[in-house]
Amino acid sequence: MTIRLRRLTGVASVLAAGALVLSGCGAGSSSAPAESSTPQTGGDLVFLIDSLGATWIPNNSSISSYQGQIWGNVTDKLVYVDAEGALSPWIAESWDENADKTQFTLHLKEGVTFSDGTPLDAAAVVANIDIWAKGRPDEGINRIGLFPSANYLGAEAVDATTVTVSFSAPTLSFIPTLAYHGSILLSPATLALPSDQQADLTKDIGSGPFVVETVADGDSVVLKKRDDYDWGPEALGHDGPAYLDTITYKQVAEPSLRTASVESGQAQVAYNASPQDLDALKQEGLTVETPRYLGFVNGYALNTAVAPFDDIRVRQAVQHGIDRDEILSTVYTADWHAAESFIQSTVPEATDHGADFAYDPDEAAALLDAAGWVKGADGTRTKGGQKLTFTLYPNPYLQASQAVDELVDQQLSALGFEVNLETYDVPTYGQKVIGNATVPATEITRSFVDVGTVAGVLTAQKKGDEDWFKLGTSDATLNDLSTRIATATDREARAAVADELQGYVLKQAYFVPLTQIVQRIYVQAPEVSGVAYNGLAYAYYLDAWLND
């Protein structure tokens, strides 16, 4: 098996009669205009988004697929990550690590300031790292998920541009985590605010290329260019401020209305269009961007603590009973890819374990027979008077989740399962499904920047671990593999452990991969150029411009 390890390098607006009316927007066009190769300064970009979330507390909202779009243009990060997982300098110009990977030294770019004029210096970085690692949970401020908090000892400002960060155990994942979308740099004054004031986005001060101009709760957020910005990610090669004058994030719940507004020229970007509409939108001359992020694929985490998934044979039958090619060809477009493991193929340490969960209905049926599940006259299998049944809960955060689950229902029903579907909106899903230890199968995905962070998701060895498969600490092999990947001091050796971990999780059928995830879909007017998509698939507008 080949291990692919890459080197880590140093507006007012209203809705009326079904139409979105926005001031300052150009006329629509069904085909791309002659594009200038020279960026043009000025212009107002309107980005239509399905939600603006429930809170702006930075630690609680920056990891959201929705609010993260805004945070990524208002703030900077210490490190930049591209779509292939390569790291490069941003506010941290360089970094060093000791031999056992327990201490890291960050060398900061000079002259960086927050939008209120205060310096983004070592003291500010220490304040940020501390709150990422710890949060202030008593005040309702979370720590940043996937930050390596368990072994965090502290950060220290050596001088104005040097920070040392120490851990009690090897933590190779630390530098990559600085590129995670939750690791946003905010002024110490913002961090010192109580949570109710941090929830006021107009009081949250970043150092990014845009600043918050206005916020209309539940409706829109308007950003304006920061004229003195001059410290974008090295990888983008952009000097000076952004080209765009403003970005308006306008909340429009209906996907078809979002895309229709881009088609008519009333907006420039529609977020999260339906996959089934993408080919037609491309034919109309619109640009469709479907970046894959670094992280886990889309699939089902199976709850080993509840029937019927307390039996490995039933779990394996689900793996082999799902026809992923039918899902790809029926629900999605050519922009989606088949899963090869439970992590995305763009992750540097990803390896191909597709054979472990390949579609094989005969094998699936044999596994169910061996487990004692017998088909009845109605086609449903029973055992000891109990039906072979479970419930799927389509994930409202994922486009086309219900359509996928409906197909899976059909496919598994042919094998003798009785699959029920219960559909909830985002708030209800959060209340009834997320964190519910009785849910048998959770359709889930998760972004991450570094494979070393997966241990805290898959196991329950440390406080705060997510324990996706409800194993507790019962699987000694999984615990060992997770510990080895989390505490490795050598990247090549860690890649081999990552390969072993992927094979083990899939052979135990703890996770059922479906497809490689495209969670963030962008339909874009042809006059938009220069948008960058980082390794978390967020749109970054420092280098973007509008053609006349």
Side-chain angles (χ1 to χ4, degrees):
M1 184 168 298
T2 302
I3 298 175
R4 303 190 301 270
L5 179 64
R6 300 180 183 89
R7 181 174 62 89
L8 295 179
T9 61
V11 273
S13 55
V14 296
L15 292 176
L20 178 65
V21 181
L22 293 162
S23 62
C25 301
S29 173
S30 62
S31 60
E35 188 173 299
S36 169
S37 60
T38 303
Q40 300 177 37
T41 300
D44 307 303
L45 183 139
V46 178
F47 185 114
L48 304 184
I49 195 166
D50 20 346
S51 174
L52 287 171
T55 181
W56 287 106
I57 297 173
N59 274 29
N60 303 7
S61 61
S62 59
I63 62 171
S64 163
S65 182
Y66 306 119
Q67 294 118 305
Q69 300 285 350
I70 289 90
W71 285 119
N73 287 288
V74 171
T75 64
D76 296 315
K77 297 180 181 65
L78 288 161
V79 175
Y80 184 80
V81 62
D82 70 13
E84 299 300 317
L87 304 178
S88 57
W90 195 344
I91 302 304
E93 289 190 311
S94 62
W95 48 86
D96 308 310
E97 55 193 35
N98 65 359
D100 62 3
K101 309 302 187 285
T102 58
Q103 189 172 84
F104 302 82
T105 302
L106 307 174
H107 305 283
L108 308 179
K109 188 174 293 185
E110 295 183 0
V112 180
T113 61
F114 294 102
S115 60
D116 63 358
T118 59
L120 201 176
D121 57 10
V125 169
V126 169
N128 276 273
I129 293 174
D130 271 343
I131 201 165
W132 299 340
K134 304 172 186 177
R136 298 204 297 269
D138 292 345
E139 299 179 39
I141 299 172
N142 300 333
R143 71 176 182 86
I144 296 299
L146 299 187
F147 188 92
S149 300
N151 300 315
Y152 176 72
L153 294 177
E156 179 184 359
V158 177
D159 57 40
T161 59
T162 310
V163 175
T164 59
V165 185
S166 301
F167 296 87
S168 61
T171 310
L172 272 176
S173 62
F174 171 64
I175 295 297
T177 301
L178 301 180
Y180 189 57
H181 55 296
S183 303
I184 59 173
L185 293 165
L186 292 161
S187 75
T190 294
L191 300 180
L193 293 173
S195 59
D196 61 334
Q197 294 188 51
Q198 287 192 22
D200 182 349
L201 183 60
T202 64
K203 294 181 178 179
D204 297 328
I205 306 302
S207 61
F210 293 88
V211 298
V212 177
E213 184 172 51
T214 61
V215 177
D217 289 339
D219 180 80
S220 61
V221 173
V222 179
L223 309 183
K224 66 177 179 179
K225 174 171 66 177
R226 182 177 172 186
D227 291 329
D228 62 345
Y229 187 85
D230 193 19
W231 44 80
E234 181 180 285
L236 298 187
H238 179 105
D239 295 323
Y243 300 122
L244 295 170
D245 288 333
T246 68
I247 307 172
T248 297
Y249 293 89
K250 169 68 181 177
Q251 184 168 305
V252 178
E254 175 55 47
S256 61
L257 183 55
R258 294 196 298 273
T259 54
S261 299
V262 175
E263 290 174 280
S264 66
Q266 295 174 307
Q268 286 72 48
V269 182
Y271 189 51
N272 281 350
S274 170
Q276 291 93 334
D277 294 338
L278 298 185
D279 285 340
L281 292 167
K282 291 176 186 177
Q283 292 172 8
E284 292 181 21
L286 301 180
T287 302
V288 173
E289 299 288 355
T290 54
R292 286 178 290 165
Y293 62 45
L294 302 162
F296 295 97
V297 301
N298 182 31
Y300 304 122
L302 299 184
N303 186 343
T304 63
V306 301
F309 298 134
D310 51 351
D311 187 329
I312 185 175
R313 294 166 296 187
V314 177
R315 300 197 301 267
Q316 290 171 335
V318 173
Q319 283 187 326
H320 293 299
I322 294 176
D323 185 346
R324 294 160 186 84
D325 288 341
E326 184 181 23
I327 292 172
L328 288 169
S329 63
T330 304
V331 178
Y332 295 117
T333 69
D335 301 285
W336 273 256
H337 302 269
E340 299 175 354
S341 177
F342 66 86
I343 59 178
Q344 303 268 78
S345 64
T346 50
V347 173
E349 294 84 1
T351 46
D352 189 345
H353 290 266
D356 291 331
F357 55 91
Y359 177 55
D360 188 340
D362 292 336
E363 174 67 12
L367 286 161
L368 294 174
D369 290 341
W373 292 97
V374 179
K375 264 193 176 183
D378 63 354
T380 302
R381 291 177 183 262
T382 60
K383 179 182 178 181
Q386 299 295 316
K387 288 184 176 181
L388 181 59
T389 183
F390 69 97
T391 300
L392 285 175
Y393 301 88
N395 189 330
Y397 291 95
L398 303 177
Q399 286 293 322
S401 174
Q402 182 169 343
V404 170
D405 286 356
E406 288 170 351
L407 262 182
V408 170
D409 176 4
Q410 295 173 23
Q411 294 170 359
L412 295 183
S413 293
L415 288 170
F417 284 89
E418 179 185 81
V419 182
N420 304 301
L421 266 64
E422 290 192 23
T423 304
Y424 299 128
D425 59 17
V426 168
T428 309
Y429 186 84
Q431 295 165 5
K432 293 192 174 184
V433 179
I434 295 176
N436 185 340
T438 68
V439 169
T442 303
E443 185 177 0
I444 200 164
T445 181
R446 174 70 64 79
S447 62
F448 59 76
V449 177
D450 186 76
V451 74
T453 61
V454 304
V457 173
L458 304 183
T459 68
Q461 297 183 88
K462 296 182 181 297
K463 183 179 179 180
D465 285 356
E466 297 185 29
D467 192 16
W468 269 11
F469 315 126
K470 304 300 181 285
L471 290 160
T473 57
S474 64
D475 189 327
T477 301
L478 183 63
N479 293 342
D480 176 64
L481 289 168
S482 297
T483 298
R484 286 164 56 197
I485 200 170
T487 60
T489 59
D490 176 83
R491 289 180 173 84
E492 294 286 346
R494 189 181 68 169
V497 179
D499 174 50
E500 192 176 350
L501 175 65
Q502 290 168 77
Y504 183 76
V505 166
L506 291 167
K507 286 174 182 174
Q508 292 296 311
Y510 293 147
F511 192 88
V512 180
L514 294 174
T515 65
Q516 296 201 45
I517 187 67
V518 175
Q519 186 175 359
R520 315 193 218 285
I521 304 169
Y522 304 84
V523 175
Q524 190 170 277
E527 66 265 24
V528 181
S529 298
V531 183
Y533 300 92
N534 65 14
L536 288 313
Y538 282 96
Y540 184 53
Y541 289 107
L542 172 63
D543 209 33
W545 75 92
L546 298 176
N547 290 286
D548 292 335

